[in-house]
Amino acid sequence: MGASGSLLALKLLDAGFKNITWEDEDSNIVAWKASTGAIYPANSTKFGDDALCHTAWAEDLSNIIPFVEQSTYWFNHKSPPHEGKYRITKSSPSGLNMAELPSYHLNAQKLVPHVRDRLALTRLELGELRPHKRENVLFIHTHGSTHRLSHFYWGWAVLVQLDYDTAVFGGERRPCFYFREGRYVMAYAYPIPDTPYWYAGSSIIKQRLGKEKSLDIWSKYSRWQDNFERLSNSEVKVVDHGQAIEGWRPACGDSEWVTRKGNQIFLRPLWNSGLRHFPHQWWGVEKHLNA
Ligand SMILES: Cc1cc2nc3c(=O)[nH]c(=O)nc-3n(C[C@H](O)[C@H](O)[C@H](O)COP(=O)(O)OP(=O)(O)OC[C@H]3O[C@@H](n4cnc5c(N)ncnc54)[C@H](O)[C@@H]3O)c2cc1C
């Protein structure tokens, strides 16, 4: 029960399913411990329906999932990134742009322990529940490490504090910043709900199954800081940094959402959008619950 499992457990509880049990192998190779938790506005349909999922978060999920923050979405592109079809409603003096739609941010490092505590009494020993022996039980594999997993993408996050002109970027909501340069340079800072920090991130480095390994974060962070401050046109400064965390994003070998074999359901391993595209996972599971 990492990020996907915790989100699913809350949706199931909210839908009235009380008899939930769960198990987890407490792996070190997980995404949720480093996940930077953004649900940004977008209109791409290449991987999932971005706009539909953003609306689902706005209308439903942001109210039932704890540790969610609504933010203003700033970028350095001339037109909205990720095929965004919304208006730009504000620009900074140097030309950074703000989306008409908000972004949502989830603190997965608080969410997962919160849900695990809430369901602590229903946790089973690993392997205690054998799906093939329990016909009347629906067994949902919410983690990415199933037969559907093809590889991992390693990434990192560092907690940072930022300084910016609140007359430009401030207001009621904290800003979130997404900067790109060309195809390869990405430097973002997303607010971390329930904390004064932002996540700085990240890298996307492919690792083969069985070959997962830790990489140095601080050299990448140093490059991130240079890129971030430069691409903000010096309008945003990093004033402090804290802890560094690494994570492994589970990637999928096929393009189905939720699949089923007998009484076992398998969510799609989602390498960079397990939170953002969670509504697709929920809709996929929902179909089987009502079948
Ligand atoms: C640096 C970084 C930044 C990210 N940023 C974003 C973002 O901005 N927005 C977004 O939507 N997504 C983001 N992601 C991706 C997102 O975190 C993942 O899509 C999501 O965590 C996947 O959820 P999961 O439950 O499949 O895996 P995890 O969160 O990794 O949890 C898997 C859980 O299952 C357990 N487990 C694994 N195998 C087994 C097994 N065989 N039996 C029992 N238990 C098992 C593990 O111990 C773990 O607790 C990011 C990821 C990283 C690493």
Side-chain angles (χ1 to χ4, degrees):
M1 195 157 70
S4 305
S6 300
L7 292 173
L8 185 68
L10 289 177
K11 278 301 282 179
L12 288 170
L13 290 171
D14 191 52
F17 290 88
K18 303 285 180 236
N19 293 328
I20 304 171
T21 57
W22 62 282
E23 60 176 40
D24 194 286
E25 69 172 15
D26 292 323
S27 170
N28 289 324
I29 308 295
V30 297
W32 68 267
K33 289 185 183 169
S35 187
T36 55
I39 297 117
Y40 50 75
N43 290 80
S44 173
T45 51
K46 279 192 203 111
F47 196 78
D49 191 327
D50 289 354
L52 206 61
C53 289
H54 188 267
T55 305
W57 272 98
E59 289 178 351
D60 171 11
L61 288 157
S62 67
N63 293 323
I64 70 150
I65 310 291
F67 318 115
V68 178
E69 178 171 340
Q70 196 169 322
S71 170
T72 50
Y73 188 63
W74 289 85
F75 46 87
N76 68 334
H77 312 55
K78 293 223 170 344
S79 46
H82 309 295
E83 301 174 40
K85 292 202 170 72
Y86 48 80
R87 287 185 309 139
I88 289 169
T89 45
K90 198 172 169 188
S91 297
S92 74
S94 79
L96 301 177
N97 290 320
M98 190 189 97
E100 176 184 23
L101 297 174
S103 52
Y104 298 93
H105 300 271
L106 178 64
N107 185 333
Q109 297 79 43
K110 285 201 173 183
L111 172 84
V112 172
H114 166 86
V115 178
R116 288 179 176 194
D117 279 356
R118 192 166 159 193
L119 291 172
L121 294 177
T122 69
R123 182 171 186 167
L124 302 176
E125 292 295 323
L126 201 61
E128 196 177 319
L129 195 61
R130 305 248 170 81
H132 58 283
K133 294 205 171 151
R134 298 287 293 274
E135 302 270 304
N136 57 340
V137 168
L138 200 53
F139 197 92
I140 310 178
H141 298 265
T142 65
H143 57 81
S145 304
T146 61
H147 64 284
R148 304 188 64 185
L149 179 68
S150 56
H151 56 277
F152 287 102
Y153 287 109
W154 179 90
W156 58 270
V158 169
L159 277 53
V160 293
Q161 283 194 306
L162 302 178
D163 185 41
Y164 48 81
D165 185 347
T166 49
V168 176
F169 301 106
E172 266 174 46
R173 297 176 196 159
R174 286 198 285 176
C176 126
F177 298 102
Y178 178 70
F179 302 145
R180 295 299 297 241
E181 185 178 52
R183 224 175 130 187
Y184 296 107
V185 176
M186 168 176 75
Y188 61 72
Y190 298 152
I192 312 181
D194 211 25
T195 78
Y197 302 103
W198 279 254
Y199 297 104
S202 186
S203 308
I204 299 172
I205 297 177
K206 189 171 179 176
Q207 294 188 346
R208 282 190 285 145
L209 292 188
K211 304 277 181 200
E212 306 86 14
K213 61 173 184 193
S214 295
L215 299 173
D216 172 57
I217 296 178
W218 292 111
S219 57
K220 295 173 182 57
Y221 170 74
S222 167
R223 242 183 349 261
W224 171 90
Q225 184 170 351
D226 290 347
N227 286 331
F228 182 78
E229 293 185 336
R230 181 173 52 79
L231 295 172
S232 83
N233 307 316
S234 303
E235 287 197 279
V236 191
K237 293 268 179 237
V238 179
V239 288
D240 201 4
H241 69 73
Q243 202 194 345
I245 14 178
E246 64 179 341
W248 286 264
R249 308 173 180 93
C252 192
D254 64 79
S255 58
E256 295 294 310
W257 282 102
V258 173
T259 60
R260 180 169 187 169
K261 272 189 201 160
N263 64 341
Q264 298 187 66
I265 287 182
F266 300 87
L267 299 197
R268 183 179 185 180
L270 289 176
W271 66 277
N272 74 344
S273 63
L275 315 174
R276 202 160 58 80
H277 285 145
F278 171 73
H280 277 298
Q281 308 272 46
W282 169 241
W283 295 322
V285 170
E286 222 180 2
K287 263 192 250 161
H288 296 289
L289 298 175
N290 298 327

